[in-house]
Amino acid sequence: MIEIQNLSKIYNTKNGVVKGVDDVTLSIQKGEIYGIVGYSGAGKSSLLRCINLLERPSTGHLTVDGTDLTSLKGEPLRLARLKIGMIFQHFYLISQKTVFENIAFALKAAKVPSKEITKRVESLLDMVGLSDKRDVYPSQLSGGQKQRVAIARALANNPKVLLCDEATSALDPTTTKSILNLLKKINEELDITVVLITHEMNVVKEICHRMAIMQDGRVIEEGAVYKIFSNPKTALAKEFIASVVSFDIPESIVRSCTGPIVKVTFRGKVAGEGVISDTLQQFNLKGNFLHCSIEYIQEMPLGIFVMELKGEKKEIQKALDYIEHRDAQVEVLRDGI
């Protein structure tokens, strides 16, 4: 669906040349929700704007649904962009127009016949749950309702791709969840490919299938969301995941422990099995649980346990080997003292 090949975007600023996007290559599949994560200045929004050529890449190629957008200009490019919807953090609704008129504006700009516009707008209002707000103005809406109008407007011309640039950053947690559920519904029911830019790992965890992590304009880690959450490779990925699943244990608790402290990560169905209790019984050990949680990512469990082990050293090593043979990842955080 979206093929990005060796794409770079260079900006000439008063302080010199800045690489907003640096030689990025990505493949985004049809019908998936793909998250691009990074801190401010990582290049993620620049990359997103290159996907629909709001900004033309300095080098590289970008293909959307089989069409190389970097080869298009003028009217062919305008027509290609109609198949790429986009929503932003700040909505950008026209305050002097009603909800109906805001959505209809996109259709009028695409020269859709007037008799088709009403039917299309009403269908979109029903999809985003705002049929009762048809004739009100943006100032009368909540933030979540404004974003729903923006989503309806982005869907007006039946796009194949929906780009979301920090679409939930200005919303409270409850409203964010409702907007994410709406995006998931749109993805599933309309088979629209969604590319979602965010700095919030909770957003990615909630609805994305695959993801890329960007830093200094480059993609430093990429893959299935579950895989990255369960086995992050880079320091930045670990930092982002820690913002969602915290393993911090008070230093006073750590100092009180005399045995080794280990972190055990269970992936898939084994996360719901009693591996820890089986291990403690089989090797005559005692376990002091310091942290434990089971996260659900794409409806698959990911179990994470941090505990102090007490018992003979040889038995502890046998126990850790046994746990690893049960398809778990074991990391010794601190040896026994």
Side-chain angles (χ1 to χ4, degrees):
M1 168 55 75
I2 302 175
E3 297 292 336
I4 302 170
Q5 297 178 320
N6 304 113
L7 189 143
S8 294
K9 176 61 182 177
I10 297 173
Y11 299 96
N12 293 307
T13 72
K14 62 181 180 180
N15 296 320
V17 173
V18 175
K19 271 195 173 183
V21 181
D22 188 3
D23 194 30
V24 167
T25 295
L26 287 175
S27 180
I28 300 172
Q29 304 303 312
K30 184 180 187 303
E32 74 176 345
I33 303 178
Y34 193 95
I36 301 176
V37 183
Y39 288 124
S40 178
K44 57 190 188 297
S45 291
S46 292
L47 177 61
L48 193 74
R49 289 193 295 271
C50 284
I51 292 177
N52 63 359
L53 262 69
L54 281 178
E55 295 194 17
R56 186 168 287 273
S58 303
T59 60
H61 290 277
L62 176 76
T63 302
V64 178
D65 198 27
T67 300
D68 184 355
L69 296 189
T70 51
S71 68
L72 302 180
K73 292 182 180 180
E75 184 66 7
L77 177 58
R78 187 189 73 81
L79 292 174
R81 279 190 181 133
L82 290 178
K83 296 303 177 183
I84 306 174
M86 189 164 184
I87 59 174
F88 304 88
Q89 177 180 355
H90 297 299
F91 323 129
Y92 297 116
L93 302 180
I94 303 170
S95 59
Q96 296 85 3
K97 292 183 181 293
T98 65
V99 166
F100 181 95
E101 292 167 338
N102 265 277
I103 300 169
F105 182 80
L107 293 163
K108 290 177 180 177
K111 301 178 182 178
V112 174
S114 298
K115 62 182 180 181
E116 296 179 19
I117 290 178
T118 298
K119 183 178 180 181
R120 177 65 178 156
V121 173
E122 288 179 348
S123 174
L124 289 166
L125 285 171
D126 181 61
M127 168 162 279
V128 301
L130 290 179
S131 294
D132 61 332
K133 303 295 182 182
R134 182 186 191 278
D135 299 316
V136 307
Y137 290 87
S139 61
Q140 299 170 271
L141 301 175
S142 67
Q145 290 170 334
K146 290 177 182 177
Q147 193 59 284
R148 287 172 180 268
V149 176
I151 291 170
R153 181 181 59 190
L155 296 176
N157 289 299
N158 293 304
K160 295 184 178 181
V161 175
L162 180 62
L163 307 180
C164 309
D165 191 1
E166 298 280 8
T168 61
S169 295
L171 306 176
D172 63 74
T174 300
T175 306
T176 290
K177 190 172 181 65
S178 73
I179 293 297
L180 293 179
N181 286 336
L182 176 58
L183 291 174
K184 189 174 181 180
K185 173 185 174 183
I186 289 166
N187 167 256
E188 293 173 349
E189 294 185 4
L190 303 182
D191 196 28
I192 290 178
T193 303
V194 178
V195 183
L196 194 151
I197 295 294
T198 185
H199 63 274
E200 299 172 293
M201 207 65 168
N202 258 325
V203 169
V204 175
K205 172 178 169 286
E206 189 75 24
I207 65 168
C208 292
H209 304 114
R210 293 194 303 130
M211 64 180 291
I213 297 176
M214 291 189 70
Q215 185 176 39
D216 298 327
R218 301 183 69 89
V219 171
I220 62 169
E221 193 161 351
E222 195 264 348
V225 171
Y226 188 92
K227 183 178 179 181
I228 290 178
F229 262 82
S230 63
N231 191 23
K233 301 297 184 183
T234 63
L236 185 59
K238 293 175 182 177
E239 184 177 324
F240 270 118
I241 291 167
S243 69
V244 178
V245 185
S246 175
F247 308 118
D248 290 340
I249 302 167
E251 185 59 33
S252 60
I253 300 297
V254 174
R255 285 198 303 267
S256 69
C257 296
T258 57
I261 298 175
V262 298
K263 182 175 83 171
V264 183
T265 303
F266 294 102
R267 303 182 186 91
K269 64 178 183 179
V270 73
E273 298 176 357
V275 176
I276 296 294
S277 59
D278 291 347
T279 302
L280 296 177
Q281 292 177 18
Q282 183 169 333
F283 296 95
N284 194 28
L285 300 175
K286 290 184 178 180
N288 178 22
F289 286 92
L290 307 176
H291 170 93
C292 61
S293 70
I294 296 180
E295 301 288 331
Y296 289 89
I297 303 166
Q298 294 298 310
E299 299 185 355
M300 291 190 295
L302 174 65
I304 302 166
F305 299 82
V306 179
M307 60 183 176
E308 174 195 15
L309 292 176
K310 294 183 178 182
E312 294 184 8
K313 188 173 183 179
K314 289 183 178 180
E315 292 298 294
I316 289 176
Q317 187 57 55
K318 288 180 182 178
L320 297 182
D321 292 341
Y322 172 77
I323 292 172
E324 286 189 321
H325 280 103
R326 294 290 297 272
D327 296 324
Q329 177 183 326
V330 177
E331 180 182 354
V332 179
L333 301 180
R334 195 199 66 177
D335 288 327
I337 56 175

